[in-house]
């Protein structure tokens, strides 16, 4: 059996923007075609880079649990495995909690009641868009923009741990450039 790797999660499947290419119908058709052709799908980014796990960052304006995201992916046609990022033992234990979760904890059907108001994709800071023709670190810029929007004081001024004026000036310059780009560039 052949294998492919796709980013699959509710945000991508509801999206029509840069990160959720095609409509939900088109993406589901692709999953079914993989299943029909016996091409197994390994899922990456099941939590949308962590954005689905927070109410403030989720495009649904409601947090999903890791268990709900994993179940959602496993229910897609052709999906054989889900490969979430694990930063340490705590993350590993949280992901393994899926194995012990009951039916109610796995239920993700509530997403149908809070579909995103606009179906645009969001950057998950994976840097698959690199290299940027303008030399910008797009993933880092979007990461700090998202953190600042979510209320992270350190990210808002990019102060605190770095304390380097030069780095802060570079970040501000990059941020100004990014915010002046056309809407489809970020």
């Amino acid at each position: 059996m052949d294998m492919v790797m796709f980013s699959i999660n509710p945000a991508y499947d509801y999206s029509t923007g840069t990160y959720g290419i095609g409509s939900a119908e088109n993406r589901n058709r692709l999953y079914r075609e993989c299943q029909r052709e016996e091409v197994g799908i390994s899922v990456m980014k099941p939590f949308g880079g962590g954005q689905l796990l927070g109410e403030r960052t989720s495009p649904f304006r409601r947090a999903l649990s890791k268990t709900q995201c994993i179940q959602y992916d496993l229910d897609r046609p052709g999906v054989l495995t889900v490969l979430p990022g694990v930063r340490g033992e705590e993350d590993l234990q949280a992901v393994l909690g899926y194995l012990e979760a009951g039916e109610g904890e796995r239920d993700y059907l509530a997403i149908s009641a809070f579909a995103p108001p606009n179906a645009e994709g969001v950057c998950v800071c994976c840097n698959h868009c690199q290299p940027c023709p303008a030399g910008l670190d797009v993933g880092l810029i979007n990461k700090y923009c998202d953190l600042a929007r979510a209320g992270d004081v350190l990210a808002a001024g990019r102060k605190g741990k770095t304390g380097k004026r030069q780095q802060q000036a570079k970040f501000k310059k990059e941020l100004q450039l990014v915010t002046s780009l056309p809407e489809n560039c970020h």
Side-chain angles (χ1 to χ4, degrees), residues 8-17 19-25 27-28 31 52 59-60 64 72 76 108-121:
I8 300 176
N9 63 57
Y12 289 174
D13 283 350
Y14 276 92
S15 295
T16 58
Y19 300 99
I21 298 172
S23 67
E25 182 181 328
R27 289 176 63 85
N28 281 314
Y31 307 151
L52 288 169
F60 300 109
L64 294 173
Y72 176 89
R76 302 302 97 202
Y108 57 84
L109 293 178
I111 64 172
S112 63
F114 53 89
N118 66 16
E120 289 299 317

Side-chain angles (χ1 to χ4, degrees), residues 1-181:
M1 174 180 274
D2 291 325
M3 293 288 292
V4 295
M5 183 175 272
F6 290 133
S7 295
I8 300 176
N9 63 57
Y12 289 174
D13 283 350
Y14 276 92
S15 295
T16 58
T18 305
Y19 300 99
I21 298 172
S23 67
E25 182 181 328
N26 289 340
R27 289 176 63 85
N28 281 314
R29 192 173 321 143
L30 174 65
Y31 307 151
R32 288 190 306 274
E33 183 67 23
C34 285
Q35 184 178 42
R36 189 171 28 263
E37 295 295 323
E38 296 185 4
V39 174
I41 300 173
S42 292
V43 173
M44 64 180 204
K45 303 273 186 217
F47 314 134
Q51 292 180 354
L52 288 169
L53 306 176
E55 187 173 308
R56 297 177 105 180
T57 55
S58 171
F60 300 109
R61 302 295 177 239
R62 183 166 167 193
L64 294 173
S65 70
K66 290 180 179 183
T67 297
Q68 288 172 312
C69 293
I70 292 169
Q71 187 64 56
Y72 176 89
D73 289 342
L74 289 172
D75 285 347
R76 302 302 97 202
V79 170
L80 298 179
T81 187
V82 178
L83 307 166
V86 175
R87 296 168 294 194
E89 188 175 340
E90 187 177 324
D91 284 350
L92 179 61
Q93 293 304 321
V95 169
L96 290 174
Y98 169 83
L99 300 171
E100 303 296 322
E103 198 173 308
E105 294 170 284
R106 293 178 182 203
D107 182 10
Y108 57 84
L109 293 178
I111 64 172
S112 63
F114 53 89
N118 66 16
E120 289 299 317
V122 260
C123 178
V124 293
C125 310
C126 67
N127 280 327
H128 287 176
C129 59
Q130 294 291 32
C132 172
L136 301 174
D137 186 341
V138 177
L140 184 65
I141 292 167
N142 282 325
K143 173 184 174 182
Y144 283 108
C145 284
D146 290 344
L147 287 170
R149 279 189 206 112
D152 187 305
V153 179
L154 294 177
R158 187 104 193 272
K159 298 177 184 171
K161 294 183 182 177
T162 62
K164 299 177 184 173
R165 289 180 189 253
Q166 191 176 28
Q167 224 175 6
Q168 290 174 346
K170 181 182 177 192
F171 173 74
K172 285 180 182 177
K173 183 179 175 185
E174 289 178 345
L175 183 58
Q176 287 171 344
L177 182 58
V178 167
T179 56
S180 68
L181 292 174

